[in-house]
Amino acid sequence: MLFFSPGKKKKKTRGDHFKLRFRKNFQALLEEQNLSAAEGPNYVSAGAAPSRLPQRHFCAVCGFPSGYTCVTCGARYCCTRCLGTHQDTRSGSAPKMGKNGEKWEKMVKNGGKW
């Protein structure tokens, strides 16, 4: 099924045609500039009021929402796997033993209890 006749060709318009047809005169360009310089909110000056909700915290390792904080440095983490990664990769000295001489991994497995 053909919806067009094969003998007729559609006339194509080029971009130059539209440039000539819709060109602006000097007065139109001045008015456009005055409208864009008008006072009011724009992308740079627009702002929102501070949120009423509490700030959200995200895991420093994976980016998921976090509910825990590293005791030594204060970084946020979401699970024991991320805590282990954080302890292995962070710079500086980290305590590897607990208060009573227990290993750090045992403390993590016990849910943060020494």
Side-chain angles (χ1 to χ4, degrees), residues 11-89:
K11 184 178 177 182
K12 295 182 180 179
T13 57
R14 298 181 187 241
D16 297 336
H17 168 74
F18 292 106
K19 289 179 185 175
L20 292 173
R21 186 169 176 210
F22 298 109
R23 65 182 174 203
K24 298 177 183 175
N25 60 15
F26 185 70
Q27 185 65 32
L29 290 173
L30 285 176
E31 288 177 8
E32 183 178 311
Q33 183 180 6
N34 288 338
L35 289 176
S36 65
E39 294 297 321
N42 58 26
Y43 183 77
V44 177
S45 67
S51 177
R52 295 178 301 191
L53 301 175
Q55 183 180 7
R56 299 191 313 174
H57 301 286
F58 297 99
C59 179
V61 178
C62 67
F64 285 147
S66 67
Y68 311 104
T69 305
C70 177
V71 178
T72 308
C73 68
R76 306 290 297 201
Y77 63 92
C78 63
C79 61
T80 55
R81 176 184 274 172
C82 288
L83 175 62
T85 304
H86 169 69
Q87 294 292 341
D88 292 341
T89 59

